[in-house]
Amino acid sequence: QVQLVESGGGSVQAGGSLRLSCATSEYVYIGYCMGWFRQRPGEEREGVASIYMASMGGGSTHYVDSVKGRFTISIDNAKKTLYLQMNNLKPEDTAMYYCAADTRGCGGTWEYWGQGTQVTVSS
């Protein structure tokens, strides 16, 4: 069982930056898929970014169009931590952000979820 704990959320003005962290209870092994999702009030959860672990240092990444060029997903396996660097934040980025893990790879139903961290961007 993989446990995930997010941190790093907060309030920031538009154009600012935040870095979210997701501490994992174990190393993220080759073949795992790790992701960041967000959910705005009254809306469905949306996939923001994912990384497929082709090596212990990382692998291929994918981003939703609305964050391309602004957000970067990365992993530091030595620290057992997944990151989401968010730059040039916009009010529409306001949401609860969750990290997720799937030990079976990307494309299926995500196995494990964190409890979420709130990001609020003011204009």
Side-chain angles (χ1 to χ4, degrees):
Q1 177 123 4
V2 179
Q3 296 177 337
L4 306 170
V5 179
E6 302 96 333
S7 61
S11 297
V12 65
Q13 288 195 328
S17 298
L18 284 173
R19 188 177 76 161
L20 305 184
S21 299
C22 174
T24 67
S25 58
E26 61 180 60
Y27 290 112
V28 180
Y29 293 102
I30 294 171
Y32 282 24
C33 193
M34 302 294 293
W36 286 98
F37 291 75
R38 64 187 179 189
Q39 188 168 22
R40 304 179 185 92
E43 297 185 14
E44 293 188 356
R45 194 171 294 185
E46 171 190 41
V48 174
S50 64
I51 182 167
Y52 173 73
M53 298 298 292
S55 73
M56 291 298 284
S60 57
T61 57
H62 178 267
Y63 299 91
V64 68
D65 285 347
S66 59
V67 308
K68 284 180 180 177
R70 301 188 297 122
F71 290 11
T72 303
I73 187 171
S74 63
I75 190 161
D76 185 337
N77 230 337
K79 296 182 179 180
K80 298 180 184 177
T81 303
L82 178 75
Y83 299 102
L84 184 68
Q85 178 67 45
M86 306 186 295
N87 298 328
N88 191 22
L89 282 160
K90 303 176 180 180
E92 52 263 42
D93 295 318
T94 295
M96 184 72 79
Y97 283 72
Y98 300 88
C99 70
D102 195 331
T103 63
R104 304 160 297 182
C106 296
T109 303
W110 293 83
E111 290 181 290
Y112 305 105
W113 293 88
Q115 84 290 347
T117 186
Q118 178 68 37
V119 172
T120 302
V121 184
S122 57
S123 57

